Amino acid sequence: DNIIKNITALPRRIRNIPDFIVIKKDVTMFLECKKCGNDFKPKMKELESYKWWDNLHPEGILDVYFFIYNLIIQTFPFVYKLVKII
């Protein structure tokens, strides 16, 4: 029986794969979407996984970016590159 009954049984990097792959003209990137209040407080273990995905292609192909939505003011001011968050 190869059925996974609990998501925590998956390796952390698979559980924390970025949400989307964005392809637009000459740019290809991973995009992770997060929501927050006034403070964005990502978990360190998640950031470690995203860093692994960011380094998957050292040439800069498929860098990880974050789309951060603020629930309080209901806006998203920027899309941030992973290195700016770490």
Side-chain angles (χ1 to χ4, degrees):
D1 189 87
N2 288 334
I3 297 172
I4 295 175
K5 297 179 180 172
N6 188 335
I7 195 156
T8 59
L10 292 170
R12 186 181 315 270
R13 290 178 183 153
I14 299 300
R15 290 193 317 256
N16 294 329
I17 188 169
D19 296 325
F20 301 97
I21 296 176
V22 177
I23 302 169
K24 184 178 178 184
K25 295 185 182 179
D26 296 336
V27 178
T28 304
M29 70 178 84
F30 283 122
L31 185 64
E32 175 64 17
C33 299
K34 295 287 188 185
K35 61 184 178 185
C36 67
N38 283 330
D39 298 316
F40 177 57
K41 300 176 185 176
K43 297 176 184 167
M44 287 308 295
K45 294 290 184 184
E46 288 180 358
L47 288 178
E48 290 170 6
S49 295
Y50 298 136
K51 186 174 181 181
W52 183 86
W53 285 102
D54 192 62
N55 291 327
L56 193 60
H57 293 280
E59 309 85 33
I61 302 168
L62 286 176
D63 286 343
V64 176
Y65 286 78
F66 285 85
F67 173 93
I68 302 172
Y69 183 79
N70 185 311
L71 293 169
I72 294 171
I73 59 175
Q74 298 183 351
T75 187
F76 54 95
F78 301 102
V79 174
Y80 298 95
K81 190 170 180 179
L82 176 66
V83 293
K84 302 246 185 230
I85 293 174
I86 296 178

